[in-house]
Amino acid sequence: MSKFIFGRYLPLSSVVHRLDPRNKLLLSFCYIILVFLANSWVSYLILIAMTLGAIWASKIRLGFFLRGIRPLIWLIIFTVILQLLFSPTGGHVYWHWAFINITQFGVINAGYIFIRFLLIIMMSTLLTLSTQPLDIATGLASLMKPLRWVKVPVDTLAMMLSIALRFVPTLMDEAQKIMNAQRARGVDFGEGGLIKQAKSLIPLMVPLFMSAFNRAEDLSTAMEARGYQDSEHRSQYRILTWQRRDTVTWLIFGVGLILILISRRW
Amino acid sequence: MKTMARTQLPKLDTLSMVTMGLLMAMQLVLSRFTIGNQFLRLSFTFLVVALIAKWFGPWWGMMTAALVDVVGTLLTGNPYFVGFTISAILGSLIYALFLYHHEVTWTRLIIAQLLIALVVNTLLNTWWLNIMYQTPFWGLLPMRALKQVIVSPIQVVLLYLLLKSHVIQTIQHRLKTK
């Protein structure tokens, strides 16, 4: 609960922080493809260099990135161990017992998967740590623009998204207040078995829905009073600009892509 | 045809749009609340997904589900993967097909929940993890299936209680009469 949804942004002044949010979103999507392409130790080395370079440029301490790994730690351990124990036979066999083989192939593969996990998590953590939520939303809305051609109501969705982001902290406070009020009346949150815990959430959910809807009614009336009619025929106040440093990141990305494509043989 | 009217993108008034925005915010907030112990966690975002699907239909449901999935993942710093967005869209679609313009009944909820638990949460999501991290599909499947077996009945009951609750009925009435 204390881990607040917007609390993860780190306000620092670095090159990475100043990049266009649209660019950062695109880069992080494409980075995952890059990770899928890597298949040899040289290509992983290039990826590690790129990732550490990006982290260094962001001036954020490495500890923050390690914290991002924690929620996925069980999945990582589980995967690595299964890869280690049950990989197909290949290369030198280190240890053999019944159907369990620890082979050279298995060890290398487990290592690759471990690195792959770390790299993907680190890059996505970098995006959130260096970009404000509202910037992410603006960037996303602008990247969705082409979807207009397939009749997606992009402007309405962008409006909904900005309303949603604006109200996350408000609803969070509200939820906290309702919880405390219900606690004062004797509701135990997070106690007992699964069903009892689920039941105790009803005195939280129902008032939360009601207050959210009351807010929605008030807000929509206020919006209409200020001349809101539809999402399409409007101008924009927040404008994003693509700068030279954004182009440079793609040059670096391109070089990395070419190097990885070449190094896939080794 | 009756189904045609159902598959069109309904035009939104300001109140519906703002309500959906607030429900999206609610989804982002609820994704932070989980109950359970260290082996089994259950979050309540499915309640909001079902509500949006019931009130606004498949198209708005799928679009907001996709958007919340993308934004929610990016904001929490988890790795983004398209597969999970597809799962979110499918989940919302299934809820909408069973709940939009239909009376809420136990049968409808149970079938919708079974479909989502089996197809989306168990098969698809395990497959996405397999693609993304090369987690062993058959190794992970039993554990994830077991989780769904335990969680699904609770989800069905909670959904029924919420959708039939007086407060939700009141809100629905106010949305429709505005």
Side-chain angles (χ1 to χ4, degrees), chain A residues 35 42 49 52 72 76 89-90 103 120 146 152 191 203 205 208 227 261:
Chain A
V35 175
V42 181
L52 288 180
L72 284 167
I76 300 177
T89 41
T103 62
I120 293 181
V152 175
E191 304 263 315
M205 301 288 272
L208 202 57
L261 284 178

Side-chain angles (χ1 to χ4, degrees), chain B:
Chain B
M1 234 166 79
K2 222 168 114 193
T3 44
M4 274 307 283
R6 257 177 220 162
T7 49
Q8 271 166 13
L9 183 67
K11 188 90 184 98
L12 281 189
D13 53 3
T14 315
L15 177 63
S16 302
M17 188 204 69
V18 176
T19 306
M20 237 186 285
L22 268 142
L23 286 173
M24 282 162 76
M26 190 89 138
Q27 216 174 318
L28 292 171
V29 169
L30 286 182
S31 65
R32 300 269 97 190
F33 287 88
T34 51
I35 60 159
N37 47 41
Q38 67 218 79
F39 304 107
L40 199 68
R41 298 234 129 249
L42 170 61
S43 109
F44 292 96
T45 47
F46 70 95
L47 292 174
V48 187
V49 176
L51 258 188
I52 295 179
K54 164 127 187 75
W55 285 346
F56 304 105
W59 290 111
W60 287 112
M62 291 194 291
M63 287 188 296
T64 52
L67 209 53
V68 169
D69 179 77
V70 176
V71 174
T73 325
L74 292 179
L75 289 186
T76 46
N78 288 327
Y80 176 77
F81 183 65
V82 196
F84 293 105
T85 311
I86 297 173
S87 293
I89 291 173
L90 273 179
S92 173
L93 176 66
I94 293 172
Y95 277 134
L97 291 181
F98 280 89
L99 299 175
Y100 188 51
H101 286 323
H102 287 295
E103 187 66 25
V104 177
T105 60
W106 282 109
T107 341
R108 287 189 169 275
L109 284 181
I110 290 170
I111 298 172
Q113 182 62 42
L114 268 181
L115 272 176
I116 291 174
L118 201 76
V119 179
V120 180
N121 296 350
T122 309
L123 289 176
L124 273 182
N125 285 355
T126 313
W127 188 39
W128 303 140
L129 284 175
N130 177 257
I131 295 174
M132 199 173 172
Y133 300 119
Q134 294 174 354
T135 51
F137 184 84
W138 293 110
L140 210 55
L141 195 69
M143 282 194 334
R144 296 176 64 87
L146 182 68
K147 186 201 158 174
Q148 290 302 320
V149 169
I150 303 171
V151 158
S152 286
I154 303 175
Q155 289 194 326
V156 171
V157 174
L158 281 176
L159 257 180
Y160 189 85
L161 289 178
L162 183 82
L163 293 176
K164 286 281 184 185
S165 77
H166 184 63
V167 163
I168 294 301
Q169 302 284 337
T170 314
I171 296 175
Q172 195 174 324
H173 186 69
R174 273 158 71 185
L175 261 177
K176 295 280 137 74
T177 50
K178 178 85 185 241

Side-chain angles (χ1 to χ4, degrees), chain A residues 32 79 128 197 201 214 217 224, chain B residues 14 36 44 74 80 135 174:
Chain A
I32 292 187
T79 308
T128 33
Q197 281 187 37
L201 273 160
N214 284 336
E217 266 188 336
E224 277 169 356
Chain B
T14 315
F44 292 96
L74 292 179
Y80 176 77
T135 51
R174 273 158 71 185

Side-chain angles (χ1 to χ4, degrees), chain A residues 77-89:
Chain A
I77 293 172
F78 182 78
T79 308
V80 167
I81 288 177
L82 275 195
Q83 282 288 341
L84 209 57
L85 297 184
F86 302 106
S87 56
T89 41

